[in-house]
Amino acid sequence: MKTRIAVLVSGGGTNLQALLDAEAQGRIPHGEIALVVSNNPKAYALERAKQAGVPAAVLDKAGSQADFEDRLQRILELDGIDLIILAGFMRILTGRFTAKWPNRILNVHPSLIPAFCGQGFYGLRVHEAALARGVKLTGATVHYVNEIPDGGPILLQKAVEVLPEDTPETLQRRVMEQAEWILLPQAAELAARQLAEQA
Ligand code: GAR
């Protein structure tokens, strides 16, 4: 049986697209993208899910963090989800939630962890910080998620060169093209295969 994957998104969804394309091309043979969940009703990622024919749910952000996590848990359980992939999901999940999914949540982060990660480092801010520090190499990391933001075990990493003329936007794009969109589908297959063999 294939590992049922839920992809959690908040924005543009280019990493979701990389996963959908990889699945369509047979590069995630042990997994099936069964559900997309967004915490943002305006996320373009929802349109991508629709175009790929994948069911999507929007989680209302009203209420407490515990309430948000309980609603998320219910949606995932109802759908028989085995593996969660955070693909540009901009809300932190607490240990109360992550403890229910040990080794079953992956996140893609746009730096070489432990550089430029943790609370406050997300999206373009990561690349702004890398440029401000003047690093010559950055990259992306796919890691398992635990109660420490960006602190779980690292699964895959890939380095990307920083160029002298880079802006946060050009660097973000290069890190996506040369690292994130390649690593995330590979990591999805690795984790999906492991869970499928375990089942
Ligand atoms: C990606 O660069 C992803 O690594 C980053 O947000 C972007 C989402 O783009 N995630 C984080 O910063 C999480 N800490 P996308 O919606 O086009 O995939």
Side-chain angles (χ1 to χ4, degrees):
M1 273 244 299
K2 287 194 181 195
T3 295
R4 287 178 66 78
I5 302 172
V7 185
L8 273 52
V9 297
S10 300
T14 64
N15 279 289
L16 167 66
Q17 192 65 56
L19 289 167
L20 292 168
D21 292 348
E23 186 186 8
Q25 291 160 9
R27 287 188 280 125
I28 313 182
H30 292 87
E32 173 189 358
I33 301 168
L35 180 67
V36 170
V37 181
S38 176
N39 65 339
N40 169 12
K42 296 197 181 118
Y44 185 70
L46 289 168
E47 182 60 32
R48 297 181 190 272
K50 193 171 159 193
Q51 292 196 0
V54 176
V58 177
L59 269 181
D60 199 312
K61 56 172 173 265
S64 66
Q65 179 71 16
D67 174 56
F68 178 85
E69 291 179 349
D70 288 346
R71 282 183 282 127
L72 176 58
Q73 180 70 21
R74 264 198 303 278
I75 291 175
L76 299 171
E77 273 174 9
L78 270 177
D79 219 325
I81 295 301
D82 308 297
L83 174 68
I84 301 169
I85 299 182
L86 309 183
F89 187 64
M90 298 305 183
R91 183 155 178 167
I92 294 210
L93 297 168
T94 67
R96 191 175 155 275
F97 180 86
T98 60
K100 294 182 183 136
W101 297 86
N103 293 316
R104 285 175 182 265
I105 312 177
L106 292 178
N107 179 45
V108 60
H109 183 77
S111 75
L112 293 174
I113 289 175
F116 314 118
C117 66
Q119 205 105 33
F121 285 100
Y122 57 86
L124 218 46
R125 291 180 184 211
V126 178
H127 305 291
E128 284 165 0
L131 289 177
R133 185 62 186 84
V135 294
K136 304 301 174 205
L137 272 183
T138 184
T141 303
V142 179
H143 63 93
Y144 284 104
V145 173
N146 62 14
E147 70 287 358
I148 306 159
D150 297 325
I154 290 170
L155 186 55
L156 296 174
Q157 282 189 310
K158 192 165 185 289
V160 173
E161 209 179 338
V162 180
L163 300 180
E165 64 273 21
D166 266 332
T167 63
E169 289 78 10
T170 61
L171 185 56
Q172 179 182 52
R173 182 77 192 178
R174 187 173 325 102
V175 169
M176 284 176 159
E177 283 175 358
Q178 295 185 7
E180 296 184 52
W181 301 340
I182 299 166
L183 287 190
L184 193 56
Q186 287 176 354
E189 171 55 14
L190 280 174
R193 191 180 67 203
Q194 200 182 34
L195 291 173
E197 283 168 358
Q198 228 169 268

